[in-house]
Amino acid sequence: IAHDWYFAIWAGCFMIVIGLIAIIVGRRASANLANLRGSLSDESFLWAEFNRHDKEGYGYLNPDQFAHFIWELGIEFDDVYTLKAFNTIDTNHQGKITFYQFQKWWQQCNFEGSDDGTSYRAMV
């Protein structure tokens, strides 16, 4: 029984260390993202990148194009959060977003984060 107790203590300590590392990495990534957003605030740059990903030239991005677009901007969402962000931007639910819809979302996002997670929830 004592052997199982020691194992549980070590496993618990290991999980605490992993959790602390995740918090540190997350906060650092959030700070880097805030710096990136600050450097990408130039509207002409965002417009050019948006148009580069608009393969058909119709003035909008579909979810797949949006995923590639934000990935190249340095936002590394997984598929679920990419789709949530897309659906948040796509206010008219047409399955496509315009540059102006994206720009509005981009300006409202707070990539720095907060302890209660409200700023991240506002993004998606």
Side-chain angles (χ1 to χ4, degrees):
I1 293 178
H3 179 67
D4 292 337
W5 184 77
Y6 287 121
F7 177 75
I9 293 293
W10 282 107
C13 290
F14 178 75
M15 294 307 294
I16 289 171
V17 169
I18 295 298
L20 291 173
I21 290 171
I23 290 170
I24 291 168
V25 168
R27 287 184 185 255
R28 185 170 180 193
S30 179
N32 288 341
L33 203 52
N35 291 336
L36 177 66
R37 180 175 176 257
S39 69
L40 296 178
S41 62
D42 180 23
E43 184 177 331
S44 61
F45 172 78
L46 288 174
W47 177 256
E49 286 298 306
F50 186 92
N51 284 330
R52 189 168 68 84
H53 287 83
D54 176 15
K55 302 295 184 192
E56 295 86 15
Y58 294 137
Y60 60 81
L61 300 179
N62 62 35
D64 188 50
Q65 292 167 331
F66 173 73
H68 291 287
F69 174 54
I70 64 169
W71 180 268
E72 289 192 17
L73 290 179
I75 302 173
E76 298 179 6
F77 286 159
D78 64 16
D79 293 341
V80 172
Y81 286 107
T82 299
L83 188 58
K84 284 183 180 182
F86 183 87
N87 289 332
T88 299
I89 298 168
D90 182 20
T91 55
N92 53 9
H93 309 289
Q94 294 181 337
K96 56 188 176 182
I97 60 169
T98 66
F99 175 74
Y100 299 105
Q101 288 173 313
F102 170 77
Q103 184 183 34
K104 181 180 176 183
W105 174 78
W106 184 257
Q107 291 171 346
Q108 291 175 349
C109 291
N110 179 3
F111 293 104
E112 293 181 32
S114 65
D115 291 339
D116 64 358
T118 55
S119 60
Y120 181 72
R121 283 194 293 268
M123 290 173 51
V124 293

